[in-house]
């Protein structure tokens, strides 16, 4: 029986663990925390991410908890439209899903071939010629035919195998929250949509329908705000007060949503990325190998909402290649398939970062003039890049 060790119990790690187990692999999933606990926020999945989950046989679980996200357009803080809302075919719409619901669906897909071990901090990687790959925590060595590094932006495995990829600040921080329906404001404006300002961004979406169980068992209104600068050290109550001040005067429903948010709803995230990206995502070792997946391979800012989508693409691609190729050939094929794809998405994300983080009075004036043409073009190109991905044939 083929064996795999997956390091990291996030969305990507859970997805690939279940996929390998359903293909007959015996999987050991190692998680540093004492328990796998998702953030009480939500995630937007674009069509490529949805296709990847369907390729992983997780479509039914996703359909039970996801809400289609209609095109709400893009505005500036003065209300001026950068991209007007437009009708979009259902198959091209993104969906929004509560992270806890998505986590439950991924856990349900693990099956009995996955052994989950929590409280394990991987500290070493064995990459000796001729030997099977292995990782260790200082007490135990976990050896397998395949090691999947899904341990996030601070991946220990990546630092050893691809030391040239550096973790750097993206120059911004993000805040997320889900306001449950019983506290959510009654809004006359559409909840869906995006607003772009000088170093600031605000996105909102509905999770299910008010007054019913909806598509999600954890319904409400999800929002995400990003702002240029470092993460804030203050307590959540102070951070929330800052957000309300920064976004004062923005078009509805921004102020209404921030007013309805409580400090305990708030989840802050320091945004970091890999610069440069690793030169390889697959490393043949002896009769097997190691692959990088998710943020361990291509951590990027959330401006285009592709982080989770790319992780699911990684998992679907790896699972398909392992069905049609043997190790270590599948490891090399994974590297060839994923590096150009990740580089293309990261390139579009960095273009968006440059637009959002423009500073200085003159630069801002020029940016505001250019936003009318630059932003629609960037967003259109990014949407095209995302839509281009299709899962490998079964």
């Amino acid at each position: 029986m083929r064996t795999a060790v997956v390091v990291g119990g996030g969305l990507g790690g859970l997805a690939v663990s279940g996929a390998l187990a359903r293909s007959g692999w015996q999987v050991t999933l190692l998680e540093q925390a004492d328990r796998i606990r998702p953030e009480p926020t939500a995630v937007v999945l674009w069509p490529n991410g949805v296709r990847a989950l369907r390729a992983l046989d997780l479509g039914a679980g996703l359909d039970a908890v996801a809400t289609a996200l209609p095109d709400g357009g893009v505005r500036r803080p003065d209300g001026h439209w950068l991209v007007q809302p437009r009708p979009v075919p259902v198959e091209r719409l993104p969906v929004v899903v509560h992270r806890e619901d998505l986590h439950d669906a991924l856990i349900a897909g693990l099956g009995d071939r996955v052994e989950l071990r929590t409280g394990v901090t991987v500290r070493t990687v064995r990459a000796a010629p001729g030997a099977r790959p292995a990782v260790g925590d200082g007490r135990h060595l976990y050896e397998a035919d395949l090691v999947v590094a899904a341990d996030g932006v601070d991946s220990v495995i990546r630092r050893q195998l691809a030391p040239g990829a550096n973790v750097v600040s993206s120059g911004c921080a993000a805040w997320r929250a889900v306001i449950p329906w019983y506290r959510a404001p009654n809004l006359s404006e559409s909840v869906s949509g995006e607003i772009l300002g000088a170093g600031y961004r605000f996105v909102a979406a509905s999770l299910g329908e008010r007054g019913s169980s909806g598509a999600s068992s954890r319904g409400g209104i999800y929002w995400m705000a990003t702002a240029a600068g470092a993460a804030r050290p203050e307590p959540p109550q102070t951070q929330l007060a800052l957000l309300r001040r920064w976004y004062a005067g923005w078009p509805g429903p921004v102020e209404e949503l921030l007013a309805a948010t409580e400090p305990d709803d708030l989840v802050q995230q320091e945004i970091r990325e890999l610069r440069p990206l690793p030169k390889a995502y697959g490393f043949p070792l002896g009769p097997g190998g190691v692959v990088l997946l998710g943020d361990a391979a291509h951590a990027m800012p959330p401006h285009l909402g592709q982080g989770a989508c790319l992780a699911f693409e990684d998992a679907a691609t790896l699972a398909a290649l392992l069905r049609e190729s043997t190790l270590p050939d599948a490891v090399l094929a994974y590297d060839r398939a994923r590096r150009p794809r990740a580089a293309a998405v990261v390139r579009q994300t960095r273009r968006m970062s440059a637009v959002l983080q423009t500073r200085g009075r003159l630069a801002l004036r020029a940016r505001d003039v250019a936003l009318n043409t630059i932003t629609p073009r960037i967003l259109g190109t990014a949407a095209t890049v995302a839509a281009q991905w299709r899962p490998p044939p079964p």
Side-chain angles (χ1 to χ4, degrees):
M1 179 182 294
R2 295 179 295 179
T3 60
V5 170
V6 177
V7 183
L11 297 180
L14 290 172
V16 75
S17 295
L20 293 177
R22 288 189 293 277
S23 297
W25 289 64
Q26 185 64 44
V27 180
T28 301
L29 174 57
L30 306 179
E31 167 56 36
Q32 181 175 354
D34 291 333
R35 56 175 293 193
I36 298 179
R37 184 181 306 169
E39 293 178 348
T41 61
V43 60
V44 174
L45 297 176
W46 292 86
N48 55 312
V50 173
R51 291 190 204 105
L53 286 175
R54 296 196 187 286
L56 292 166
D57 295 327
L58 294 169
L62 177 66
D63 292 341
V65 296
T67 303
L69 187 59
D71 190 306
V74 183
R75 290 178 288 171
R76 292 193 317 209
D78 61 5
H80 176 81
W81 287 104
L82 294 171
V83 180
Q84 291 274 358
R86 59 200 187 282
V88 178
V90 174
E91 65 274 11
R92 294 183 58 190
L93 286 176
V95 300
V96 59
V97 57
H98 200 292
R99 279 183 176 268
E100 293 177 355
D101 286 336
L102 183 56
H103 171 268
D104 290 348
L106 294 173
I107 288 289
L110 290 180
D112 57 5
R113 289 182 181 271
V114 177
E115 178 187 4
L116 173 60
R117 297 192 183 187
T118 58
V120 178
T121 301
V122 170
R123 304 181 189 278
T124 60
V125 184
R126 187 180 73 188
R132 292 205 305 167
V135 295
D137 64 354
R139 296 176 299 171
H140 303 287
L141 190 67
Y142 300 91
E143 182 183 274
D145 300 312
L146 176 70
V147 171
V148 180
D151 47 345
V153 64
D154 293 312
S155 171
V156 171
I157 299 171
R158 186 199 61 246
R159 287 205 300 267
Q160 178 170 330
L161 299 181
N166 299 314
V167 180
V168 300
S169 171
S170 298
C172 62
W175 290 261
R176 296 177 172 87
V178 172
I179 308 170
W181 281 128
Y182 71 87
R183 276 199 283 109
N186 288 306
L187 302 169
S188 57
E189 305 92 348
S190 171
V191 174
S192 300
E194 180 173 349
I195 305 174
L196 300 178
Y200 296 88
R201 176 174 178 252
F202 196 95
V203 180
S206 293
L207 288 162
E209 297 291 335
R210 184 191 297 271
S212 68
S213 60
S216 170
S217 63
R218 299 175 175 92
I221 300 178
Y222 164 65
W223 62 260
M224 181 185 74
T226 56
R232 305 296 303 195
E234 298 91 347
Q237 185 172 357
T238 305
Q239 293 178 31
L240 187 55
L242 285 171
L243 289 169
R244 289 168 178 165
R245 188 176 73 194
W246 292 341
Y247 290 91
W250 279 45
V254 175
E255 290 185 288
E256 294 92 329
L257 294 180
L258 290 175
T261 302
E262 295 184 353
D264 288 344
D265 300 329
L266 205 61
V267 176
Q268 181 186 209
Q269 178 187 5
E270 178 188 11
I271 305 299
R272 295 177 297 157
E273 60 188 283
L274 295 178
R275 282 182 180 260
L277 293 174
K279 293 183 178 180
Y281 288 165
F283 305 86
L285 295 171
V290 179
V291 298
L292 306 180
L293 184 145
D295 282 351
H298 39 65
M300 69 190 82
H303 304 316
L304 298 180
Q306 284 294 316
C309 295
L310 282 189
F312 293 143
E313 284 186 24
D314 291 344
T317 301
L318 180 62
L321 292 172
L322 288 169
R323 287 193 297 268
E324 63 186 42
S325 303
T326 58
L327 291 170
D329 291 343
V331 172
L332 293 171
Y334 174 82
D335 177 63
R336 290 193 298 268
R338 296 310 298 162
R339 272 194 301 122
R341 168 65 177 165
V345 176
V346 168
R347 186 162 54 248
Q348 296 301 325
T349 301
R350 288 176 179 170
R351 291 184 66 197
M352 195 65 177
S353 293
V355 171
L356 288 175
Q357 296 181 32
T358 302
R359 291 191 173 188
R361 183 176 297 177
L362 293 177
L364 284 175
R365 287 180 181 174
R367 198 284 307 271
D368 284 344
V369 172
L371 265 179
N372 292 309
T373 55
I374 292 176
T375 303
R377 188 165 66 248
I378 290 177
L379 292 174
T381 302
T384 300
V385 168
Q388 285 173 342
W389 186 83
R390 294 291 187 278

